[in-house]
Amino acid sequence: MSDSAVQGMLYGSLAAGAVGMWLATSPRTGALRVLGSFLASAGLIAAVAMFSGPGGDVTNKILFWMFAASALLSGVLMVTSREPVYAALWFALATLGTCGLFMMQAAPFLAAATIIVYAGAIIVTFLFVIMLAQQQGRSFYDYRARTPIMSIVASWLMLAALLWNFQVWQKSAPAPETGPALTAEAAANPFSQPSELNKVDSLRALGLSLFGDYLYAVEIAGTLLLVAGIGAIAIAPRRAEGTI
Amino acid sequence: MTADSGCYLAVGAALFVLGGIGFVTRRNLILIFLSVELMLHGVSLTLLTFGRMHNNLEGQSFTIFMLTVAACEAALGLSLVLSLYQRTKSLDVDIWSKLSEPDLPKWDKPVQPLESRVVREEHPASPRLTKAGGLPEIDDDFPVELATTTDPRKVLTPSPPDDDY
């Protein structure tokens, strides 16, 4: 395909996604909103498909499209769902899809850690808060999106700008399997040179990086967690004497 | 590593933008927080892809720190949401819009069905009483026009919104 055709298809699919998003956030009947959600995620997936797909064999490609499609579809459904509990569950699905992509980007430890932290801890905490705070179910403020058109226009402009930049960058990058996808001066950077100690997909190298290069930052992060825990206990409302 | 990173970057950008839309359009405090977490997912994916392109581990280390900060943010944010909920018994973020500066323009449209129910009448020629004090404060969420007539058949009081609208 020629460059202009690829660009036209990219902007066309982005426009279809914007229309779907507008349908999905507007106060319409349920069927139209579901249709809008599917149209929005289909537009986003088509926009992603305008880029050269993942390298490797067929399994790699199938896994990438499964993970990307599930992440984008559940992201759209999370943003547009009217039930807070469903939105939290869609977010858990989006987390799983993103973790699959992490795994394909040679970060298995991060994929496992993200699933444990997000899908295991954060989502459960969110669900507990929703249960505590919204026992009567949906309320009127979940029905009306605030300024949907303006936010969709602004966000889609930003997305189009980003994707356009990525396309320009991709044209100058070398083809897959021919070496690093970097400009000459970036490839000459000593930090980009591969070595035994920074093989990206090994947990040993990640541990060496964390507890070698970033030892102080790790300590500060631990202190930050402690401070945030104490702060959360201090901020959270206490129940009155004698109530449950 | 190779030019196939473009699709991962595109997915990351799309997730970030979706989270941004959710952050702006949702009115539930908890869902606003969830949208921020979706934006963080997009940024994590982008960082990992860049790290793999440069063939080093900085992206993965940064993502681990992002995970830490996201956990802190979720804990603090949820306890703030709970204490805000204790005050108003509602998760509507518009209740707290009075915290913003009063002279900023309001982008949110007023509720249409409520406003159409309010009886509008022409002002009488001139009031006989002298003015005393300023205009009373009117809540923006429930626009109530001051009744200009005393006829009880013409005064309609709008009811607060209920679940079926």
Side-chain angles (χ1 to χ4, degrees), chain A residues 112-153:
Chain A
T114 308
I115 287 181
I116 290 170
V117 170
Y118 274 96
I122 292 184
I123 278 297
V124 173
T125 322
F126 272 100
L127 285 178
F128 267 122
V129 172
I130 291 173
M131 278 161 50
L132 281 175
Q134 258 189 341
Q135 286 163 351
Q136 77 279 13
R138 301 188 279 185
S139 27
F140 71 95
Y141 46 81
D142 285 325
Y143 275 73
R144 201 157 60 94
R146 183 216 306 273
T147 63
I149 294 177
M150 282 186 59
S151 68
I152 288 170
V153 167

mmCIF file of all heavy atoms in Angstrom, chain A residues 112-153:
data_model
loop_
_atom_site.group_PDB
_atom_site.id
_atom_site.type_symbol
_atom_site.label_atom_id
_atom_site.label_comp_id
_atom_site.label_asym_id
_atom_site.label_seq_id
_atom_site.Cartn_x
_atom_site.Cartn_y
_atom_site.Cartn_z
ATOM 1 N N ALA A 112 3.691 -10.326 35.594
ATOM 2 C CA ALA A 112 3.189 -11.005 36.796
ATOM 3 C C ALA A 112 2.936 -9.999 37.910
ATOM 4 O O ALA A 112 1.895 -10.043 38.579
ATOM 5 C CB ALA A 112 4.191 -12.061 37.243
ATOM 6 N N ALA A 113 3.876 -9.043 38.096
ATOM 7 C CA ALA A 113 3.711 -8.075 39.182
ATOM 8 C C ALA A 113 2.495 -7.199 38.938
ATOM 9 O O ALA A 113 1.735 -6.902 39.872
ATOM 10 C CB ALA A 113 4.966 -7.211 39.292
ATOM 11 N N THR A 114 2.268 -6.803 37.673
ATOM 12 C CA THR A 114 1.121 -5.944 37.400
ATOM 13 C C THR A 114 -0.183 -6.687 37.631
ATOM 14 O O THR A 114 -1.145 -6.126 38.165
ATOM 15 C CB THR A 114 1.199 -5.418 35.962
ATOM 16 O OG1 THR A 114 2.473 -4.849 35.757
ATOM 17 C CG2 THR A 114 0.156 -4.374 35.725
ATOM 18 N N ILE A 115 -0.233 -7.960 37.228
ATOM 19 C CA ILE A 115 -1.469 -8.718 37.475
ATOM 20 C C ILE A 115 -1.713 -8.829 38.971
ATOM 21 O O ILE A 115 -2.839 -8.629 39.457
ATOM 22 C CB ILE A 115 -1.372 -10.115 36.829
ATOM 23 C CG1 ILE A 115 -1.490 -9.993 35.329
ATOM 24 C CG2 ILE A 115 -2.478 -11.006 37.347
ATOM 25 C CD1 ILE A 115 -1.436 -11.304 34.624
ATOM 26 N N ILE A 116 -0.645 -9.095 39.742
ATOM 27 C CA ILE A 116 -0.841 -9.263 41.184
ATOM 28 C C ILE A 116 -1.278 -7.946 41.815
ATOM 29 O O ILE A 116 -2.233 -7.890 42.588
ATOM 30 C CB ILE A 116 0.453 -9.787 41.831
ATOM 31 C CG1 ILE A 116 0.701 -11.220 41.404
ATOM 32 C CG2 ILE A 116 0.366 -9.709 43.342
ATOM 33 C CD1 ILE A 116 2.057 -11.724 41.794
ATOM 34 N N VAL A 117 -0.591 -6.849 41.436
ATOM 35 C CA VAL A 117 -0.887 -5.574 42.098
ATOM 36 C C VAL A 117 -2.232 -5.029 41.645
ATOM 37 O O VAL A 117 -3.075 -4.654 42.465
ATOM 38 C CB VAL A 117 0.246 -4.567 41.831
ATOM 39 C CG1 VAL A 117 -0.151 -3.193 42.305
ATOM 40 C CG2 VAL A 117 1.503 -5.004 42.533
ATOM 41 N N TYR A 118 -2.458 -4.998 40.306
ATOM 42 C CA TYR A 118 -3.689 -4.358 39.827
ATOM 43 C C TYR A 118 -4.883 -5.280 39.973
ATOM 44 O O TYR A 118 -5.830 -4.980 40.695
ATOM 45 C CB TYR A 118 -3.528 -3.956 38.362
ATOM 46 C CG TYR A 118 -2.891 -2.608 38.210
ATOM 47 C CD1 TYR A 118 -1.542 -2.469 37.991
ATOM 48 C CD2 TYR A 118 -3.656 -1.457 38.301
ATOM 49 C CE1 TYR A 118 -0.962 -1.238 37.851
ATOM 50 C CE2 TYR A 118 -3.088 -0.229 38.171
ATOM 51 C CZ TYR A 118 -1.741 -0.116 37.945
ATOM 52 O OH TYR A 118 -1.173 1.097 37.815
ATOM 53 N N ALA A 119 -4.834 -6.419 39.242
ATOM 54 C CA ALA A 119 -6.011 -7.275 39.253
ATOM 55 C C ALA A 119 -6.212 -7.905 40.623
ATOM 56 O O ALA A 119 -7.328 -8.228 41.013
ATOM 57 C CB ALA A 119 -5.870 -8.360 38.182
ATOM 58 N N GLY A 120 -5.119 -8.073 41.385
ATOM 59 C CA GLY A 120 -5.265 -8.720 42.675
ATOM 60 C C GLY A 120 -5.605 -7.756 43.781
ATOM 61 O O GLY A 120 -6.500 -8.027 44.582
ATOM 62 N N ALA A 121 -4.906 -6.637 43.862
ATOM 63 C CA ALA A 121 -5.069 -5.769 45.027
ATOM 64 C C ALA A 121 -5.912 -4.545 44.719
ATOM 65 O O ALA A 121 -6.909 -4.275 45.399
ATOM 66 C CB ALA A 121 -3.694 -5.332 45.537
ATOM 67 N N ILE A 122 -5.542 -3.797 43.672
ATOM 68 C CA ILE A 122 -6.194 -2.503 43.470
ATOM 69 C C ILE A 122 -7.659 -2.688 43.090
ATOM 70 O O ILE A 122 -8.546 -2.010 43.617
ATOM 71 C CB ILE A 122 -5.422 -1.693 42.413
ATOM 72 C CG1 ILE A 122 -4.059 -1.292 42.991
ATOM 73 C CG2 ILE A 122 -6.170 -0.454 42.013
ATOM 74 C CD1 ILE A 122 -3.248 -0.415 42.102
ATOM 75 N N ILE A 123 -7.933 -3.654 42.176
ATOM 76 C CA ILE A 123 -9.320 -3.850 41.753
ATOM 77 C C ILE A 123 -10.183 -4.297 42.927
ATOM 78 O O ILE A 123 -11.332 -3.856 43.091
ATOM 79 C CB ILE A 123 -9.365 -4.877 40.610
ATOM 80 C CG1 ILE A 123 -9.033 -4.178 39.319
ATOM 81 C CG2 ILE A 123 -10.716 -5.494 40.476
ATOM 82 C CD1 ILE A 123 -10.024 -3.126 38.967
ATOM 83 N N VAL A 124 -9.620 -5.165 43.782
ATOM 84 C CA VAL A 124 -10.405 -5.631 44.925
ATOM 85 C C VAL A 124 -10.703 -4.462 45.864
ATOM 86 O O VAL A 124 -11.822 -4.320 46.374
ATOM 87 C CB VAL A 124 -9.638 -6.763 45.644
ATOM 88 C CG1 VAL A 124 -10.337 -7.146 46.915
ATOM 89 C CG2 VAL A 124 -9.551 -7.960 44.742
ATOM 90 N N THR A 125 -9.714 -3.575 46.053
ATOM 91 C CA THR A 125 -9.958 -2.414 46.906
ATOM 92 C C THR A 125 -11.023 -1.511 46.293
ATOM 93 O O THR A 125 -11.920 -1.025 47.003
ATOM 94 C CB THR A 125 -8.655 -1.636 47.094
ATOM 95 O OG1 THR A 125 -7.592 -2.555 47.202
ATOM 96 C CG2 THR A 125 -8.719 -0.789 48.317
ATOM 97 N N PHE A 126 -10.936 -1.299 44.975
ATOM 98 C CA PHE A 126 -11.953 -0.470 44.320
ATOM 99 C C PHE A 126 -13.336 -1.084 44.494
ATOM 100 O O PHE A 126 -14.306 -0.391 44.778
ATOM 101 C CB PHE A 126 -11.631 -0.333 42.832
ATOM 102 C CG PHE A 126 -10.713 0.805 42.506
ATOM 103 C CD1 PHE A 126 -9.380 0.593 42.287
ATOM 104 C CD2 PHE A 126 -11.195 2.092 42.437
ATOM 105 C CE1 PHE A 126 -8.538 1.636 41.989
ATOM 106 C CE2 PHE A 126 -10.355 3.145 42.143
ATOM 107 C CZ PHE A 126 -9.023 2.913 41.927
ATOM 108 N N LEU A 127 -13.416 -2.409 44.311
ATOM 109 C CA LEU A 127 -14.726 -3.052 44.442
ATOM 110 C C LEU A 127 -15.250 -2.924 45.861
ATOM 111 O O LEU A 127 -16.446 -2.714 46.082
ATOM 112 C CB LEU A 127 -14.628 -4.520 44.032
ATOM 113 C CG LEU A 127 -14.528 -4.740 42.529
ATOM 114 C CD1 LEU A 127 -14.384 -6.203 42.225
ATOM 115 C CD2 LEU A 127 -15.770 -4.201 41.855
ATOM 116 N N PHE A 128 -14.340 -3.017 46.847
ATOM 117 C CA PHE A 128 -14.783 -2.847 48.229
ATOM 118 C C PHE A 128 -15.330 -1.447 48.449
ATOM 119 O O PHE A 128 -16.368 -1.269 49.089
ATOM 120 C CB PHE A 128 -13.620 -3.096 49.191
ATOM 121 C CG PHE A 128 -13.550 -4.509 49.673
ATOM 122 C CD1 PHE A 128 -12.421 -5.271 49.472
ATOM 123 C CD2 PHE A 128 -14.624 -5.075 50.321
ATOM 124 C CE1 PHE A 128 -12.356 -6.569 49.894
ATOM 125 C CE2 PHE A 128 -14.574 -6.377 50.754
ATOM 126 C CZ PHE A 128 -13.434 -7.121 50.537
ATOM 127 N N VAL A 129 -14.642 -0.439 47.896
ATOM 128 C CA VAL A 129 -15.116 0.932 48.099
ATOM 129 C C VAL A 129 -16.451 1.133 47.401
ATOM 130 O O VAL A 129 -17.357 1.770 47.939
ATOM 131 C CB VAL A 129 -14.053 1.932 47.605
ATOM 132 C CG1 VAL A 129 -14.598 3.331 47.634
ATOM 133 C CG2 VAL A 129 -12.833 1.852 48.472
ATOM 134 N N ILE A 130 -16.594 0.558 46.187
ATOM 135 C CA ILE A 130 -17.880 0.694 45.496
ATOM 136 C C ILE A 130 -18.984 0.033 46.309
ATOM 137 O O ILE A 130 -20.090 0.568 46.465
ATOM 138 C CB ILE A 130 -17.794 0.077 44.086
ATOM 139 C CG1 ILE A 130 -16.878 0.921 43.207
ATOM 140 C CG2 ILE A 130 -19.151 -0.010 43.449
ATOM 141 C CD1 ILE A 130 -16.601 0.310 41.873
ATOM 142 N N MET A 131 -18.679 -1.140 46.886
ATOM 143 C CA MET A 131 -19.688 -1.813 47.698
ATOM 144 C C MET A 131 -20.042 -1.007 48.926
ATOM 145 O O MET A 131 -21.201 -0.923 49.334
ATOM 146 C CB MET A 131 -19.173 -3.190 48.115
ATOM 147 C CG MET A 131 -19.351 -4.248 47.067
ATOM 148 S SD MET A 131 -18.290 -5.640 47.377
ATOM 149 C CE MET A 131 -18.633 -5.973 49.061
ATOM 150 N N LEU A 132 -19.017 -0.375 49.549
ATOM 151 C CA LEU A 132 -19.289 0.411 50.747
ATOM 152 C C LEU A 132 -20.097 1.651 50.416
ATOM 153 O O LEU A 132 -20.994 2.047 51.163
ATOM 154 C CB LEU A 132 -17.971 0.835 51.398
ATOM 155 C CG LEU A 132 -17.256 -0.196 52.232
ATOM 156 C CD1 LEU A 132 -15.936 0.357 52.691
ATOM 157 C CD2 LEU A 132 -18.103 -0.544 53.429
ATOM 158 N N ALA A 133 -19.754 2.284 49.282
ATOM 159 C CA ALA A 133 -20.303 3.607 49.040
ATOM 160 C C ALA A 133 -21.573 3.579 48.211
ATOM 161 O O ALA A 133 -22.385 4.486 48.303
ATOM 162 C CB ALA A 133 -19.261 4.481 48.342
ATOM 163 N N GLN A 134 -21.755 2.582 47.359
ATOM 164 C CA GLN A 134 -22.876 2.624 46.428
ATOM 165 C C GLN A 134 -23.719 1.383 46.566
ATOM 166 O O GLN A 134 -23.831 0.595 45.645
ATOM 167 C CB GLN A 134 -22.358 2.742 45.005
ATOM 168 C CG GLN A 134 -22.486 4.148 44.482
ATOM 169 C CD GLN A 134 -22.183 4.226 43.033
ATOM 170 O OE1 GLN A 134 -21.555 3.345 42.496
ATOM 171 N NE2 GLN A 134 -22.626 5.282 42.394
ATOM 172 N N GLN A 135 -24.323 1.230 47.712
ATOM 173 C CA GLN A 135 -25.065 0.003 47.925
ATOM 174 C C GLN A 135 -26.371 -0.011 47.166
ATOM 175 O O GLN A 135 -26.930 -1.063 46.925
ATOM 176 C CB GLN A 135 -25.321 -0.186 49.417
ATOM 177 C CG GLN A 135 -24.058 -0.612 50.131
ATOM 178 C CD GLN A 135 -24.145 -0.410 51.594
ATOM 179 O OE1 GLN A 135 -25.078 0.204 52.082
ATOM 180 N NE2 GLN A 135 -23.174 -0.916 52.320
ATOM 181 N N GLN A 136 -26.866 1.157 46.774
ATOM 182 C CA GLN A 136 -28.159 1.189 46.088
ATOM 183 C C GLN A 136 -28.007 0.962 44.599
ATOM 184 O O GLN A 136 -28.973 1.017 43.870
ATOM 185 C CB GLN A 136 -28.881 2.502 46.355
ATOM 186 C CG GLN A 136 -28.376 3.694 45.564
ATOM 187 C CD GLN A 136 -27.139 4.291 46.175
ATOM 188 O OE1 GLN A 136 -26.514 3.696 47.043
ATOM 189 N NE2 GLN A 136 -26.771 5.463 45.722
ATOM 190 N N GLY A 137 -26.790 0.720 44.110
ATOM 191 C CA GLY A 137 -26.609 0.470 42.691
ATOM 192 C C GLY A 137 -26.346 1.755 41.926
ATOM 193 O O GLY A 137 -25.712 2.659 42.432
ATOM 194 N N ARG A 138 -26.886 1.812 40.683
ATOM 195 C CA ARG A 138 -26.578 2.953 39.828
ATOM 196 C C ARG A 138 -27.220 4.221 40.383
ATOM 197 O O ARG A 138 -28.299 4.186 40.951
ATOM 198 C CB ARG A 138 -27.110 2.711 38.428
ATOM 199 C CG ARG A 138 -26.543 1.481 37.805
ATOM 200 C CD ARG A 138 -26.941 1.387 36.393
ATOM 201 N NE ARG A 138 -28.290 0.856 36.251
ATOM 202 C CZ ARG A 138 -28.820 0.584 35.088
ATOM 203 N NH1 ARG A 138 -28.140 0.795 33.997
ATOM 204 N NH2 ARG A 138 -30.025 0.102 35.010
ATOM 205 N N SER A 139 -26.552 5.321 40.208
ATOM 206 C CA SER A 139 -27.168 6.577 40.575
ATOM 207 C C SER A 139 -27.117 7.522 39.393
ATOM 208 O O SER A 139 -26.490 7.226 38.387
ATOM 209 C CB SER A 139 -26.480 7.168 41.794
ATOM 210 O OG SER A 139 -25.164 6.730 41.861
ATOM 211 N N PHE A 140 -27.794 8.671 39.530
ATOM 212 C CA PHE A 140 -28.045 9.469 38.333
ATOM 213 C C PHE A 140 -26.778 10.017 37.724
ATOM 214 O O PHE A 140 -26.718 10.269 36.534
ATOM 215 C CB PHE A 140 -29.020 10.606 38.668
ATOM 216 C CG PHE A 140 -28.437 11.681 39.522
ATOM 217 C CD1 PHE A 140 -27.900 12.816 38.934
ATOM 218 C CD2 PHE A 140 -28.422 11.582 40.902
ATOM 219 C CE1 PHE A 140 -27.368 13.811 39.708
ATOM 220 C CE2 PHE A 140 -27.893 12.575 41.669
ATOM 221 C CZ PHE A 140 -27.359 13.695 41.069
ATOM 222 N N TYR A 141 -25.713 10.162 38.534
ATOM 223 C CA TYR A 141 -24.519 10.762 37.941
ATOM 224 C C TYR A 141 -23.736 9.774 37.105
ATOM 225 O O TYR A 141 -22.798 10.160 36.428
ATOM 226 C CB TYR A 141 -23.631 11.387 39.010
ATOM 227 C CG TYR A 141 -23.397 10.554 40.228
ATOM 228 C CD1 TYR A 141 -22.451 9.543 40.222
ATOM 229 C CD2 TYR A 141 -24.117 10.786 41.375
ATOM 230 C CE1 TYR A 141 -22.245 8.789 41.344
ATOM 231 C CE2 TYR A 141 -23.918 10.033 42.489
ATOM 232 C CZ TYR A 141 -22.984 9.032 42.467
ATOM 233 O OH TYR A 141 -22.782 8.277 43.574
ATOM 234 N N ASP A 142 -24.083 8.481 37.143
ATOM 235 C CA ASP A 142 -23.439 7.541 36.235
ATOM 236 C C ASP A 142 -24.091 7.549 34.861
ATOM 237 O O ASP A 142 -23.590 6.923 33.936
ATOM 238 C CB ASP A 142 -23.504 6.128 36.802
ATOM 239 C CG ASP A 142 -22.515 5.951 37.924
ATOM 240 O OD1 ASP A 142 -21.439 6.553 37.821
ATOM 241 O OD2 ASP A 142 -22.821 5.227 38.879
ATOM 242 N N TYR A 143 -25.217 8.242 34.730
ATOM 243 C CA TYR A 143 -25.965 8.199 33.480
ATOM 244 C C TYR A 143 -25.541 9.272 32.506
ATOM 245 O O TYR A 143 -25.781 9.165 31.327
ATOM 246 C CB TYR A 143 -27.463 8.380 33.766
ATOM 247 C CG TYR A 143 -28.126 7.101 34.124
ATOM 248 C CD1 TYR A 143 -27.911 6.521 35.352
ATOM 249 C CD2 TYR A 143 -28.945 6.467 33.223
ATOM 250 C CE1 TYR A 143 -28.499 5.338 35.683
ATOM 251 C CE2 TYR A 143 -29.544 5.283 33.544
ATOM 252 C CZ TYR A 143 -29.311 4.721 34.775
ATOM 253 O OH TYR A 143 -29.892 3.548 35.087
ATOM 254 N N ARG A 144 -24.956 10.330 32.996
ATOM 255 C CA ARG A 144 -24.723 11.487 32.135
ATOM 256 C C ARG A 144 -23.227 11.717 32.059
ATOM 257 O O ARG A 144 -22.586 11.976 33.063
ATOM 258 C CB ARG A 144 -25.413 12.705 32.725
ATOM 259 C CG ARG A 144 -25.685 13.793 31.731
ATOM 260 C CD ARG A 144 -26.809 14.651 32.249
ATOM 261 N NE ARG A 144 -26.458 15.245 33.531
ATOM 262 C CZ ARG A 144 -25.927 16.448 33.660
ATOM 263 N NH1 ARG A 144 -25.682 17.160 32.598
ATOM 264 N NH2 ARG A 144 -25.647 16.938 34.842
ATOM 265 N N ALA A 145 -22.663 11.614 30.865
ATOM 266 C CA ALA A 145 -21.245 11.924 30.704
ATOM 267 C C ALA A 145 -21.089 13.441 30.679
ATOM 268 O O ALA A 145 -21.972 14.164 30.238
ATOM 269 C CB ALA A 145 -20.715 11.326 29.422
ATOM 270 N N ARG A 146 -19.964 13.902 31.186
ATOM 271 C CA ARG A 146 -19.715 15.332 31.203
ATOM 272 C C ARG A 146 -18.896 15.695 29.966
ATOM 273 O O ARG A 146 -17.868 15.096 29.696
ATOM 274 C CB ARG A 146 -18.939 15.692 32.466
ATOM 275 C CG ARG A 146 -18.688 17.154 32.621
ATOM 276 C CD ARG A 146 -17.355 17.353 33.237
ATOM 277 N NE ARG A 146 -17.212 16.630 34.472
ATOM 278 C CZ ARG A 146 -17.569 17.104 35.636
ATOM 279 N NH1 ARG A 146 -18.091 18.275 35.721
ATOM 280 N NH2 ARG A 146 -17.363 16.411 36.721
ATOM 281 N N THR A 147 -19.391 16.654 29.191
ATOM 282 C CA THR A 147 -18.734 17.189 27.986
ATOM 283 C C THR A 147 -18.123 16.088 27.106
ATOM 284 O O THR A 147 -16.928 16.094 26.833
ATOM 285 C CB THR A 147 -17.611 18.179 28.346
ATOM 286 O OG1 THR A 147 -16.617 17.478 29.083
ATOM 287 C CG2 THR A 147 -18.111 19.327 29.141
ATOM 288 N N PRO A 148 -18.963 15.123 26.657
ATOM 289 C CA PRO A 148 -18.376 14.020 25.883
ATOM 290 C C PRO A 148 -17.760 14.478 24.573
ATOM 291 O O PRO A 148 -16.675 14.035 24.205
ATOM 292 C CB PRO A 148 -19.547 13.067 25.660
ATOM 293 C CG PRO A 148 -20.747 13.878 25.883
ATOM 294 C CD PRO A 148 -20.403 14.969 26.817
ATOM 295 N N ILE A 149 -18.434 15.398 23.854
ATOM 296 C CA ILE A 149 -17.965 15.729 22.510
ATOM 297 C C ILE A 149 -16.622 16.444 22.574
ATOM 298 O O ILE A 149 -15.674 16.105 21.858
ATOM 299 C CB ILE A 149 -19.029 16.580 21.789
ATOM 300 C CG1 ILE A 149 -20.275 15.738 21.574
ATOM 301 C CG2 ILE A 149 -18.485 17.088 20.467
ATOM 302 C CD1 ILE A 149 -21.396 16.465 20.946
ATOM 303 N N MET A 150 -16.523 17.411 23.478
ATOM 304 C CA MET A 150 -15.266 18.163 23.537
ATOM 305 C C MET A 150 -14.112 17.265 23.958
ATOM 306 O O MET A 150 -13.005 17.353 23.413
ATOM 307 C CB MET A 150 -15.399 19.324 24.517
ATOM 308 C CG MET A 150 -16.155 20.455 23.927
ATOM 309 S SD MET A 150 -16.155 21.856 24.986
ATOM 310 C CE MET A 150 -14.438 22.162 25.142
ATOM 311 N N SER A 151 -14.352 16.370 24.923
ATOM 312 C CA SER A 151 -13.246 15.515 25.361
ATOM 313 C C SER A 151 -12.858 14.528 24.265
ATOM 314 O O SER A 151 -11.673 14.240 24.080
ATOM 315 C CB SER A 151 -13.636 14.778 26.638
ATOM 316 O OG SER A 151 -14.641 13.863 26.363
ATOM 317 N N ILE A 152 -13.861 14.022 23.518
ATOM 318 C CA ILE A 152 -13.518 13.080 22.441
ATOM 319 C C ILE A 152 -12.726 13.793 21.361
ATOM 320 O O ILE A 152 -11.720 13.272 20.859
ATOM 321 C CB ILE A 152 -14.800 12.447 21.876
ATOM 322 C CG1 ILE A 152 -15.374 11.469 22.871
ATOM 323 C CG2 ILE A 152 -14.516 11.732 20.576
ATOM 324 C CD1 ILE A 152 -16.726 10.986 22.510
ATOM 325 N N VAL A 153 -13.145 15.013 21.003
ATOM 326 C CA VAL A 153 -12.409 15.744 19.961
ATOM 327 C C VAL A 153 -10.971 15.992 20.403
ATOM 328 O O VAL A 153 -10.010 15.713 19.675
ATOM 329 C CB VAL A 153 -13.136 17.066 19.653
ATOM 330 C CG1 VAL A 153 -12.243 17.967 18.821
ATOM 331 C CG2 VAL A 153 -14.417 16.786 18.891
#
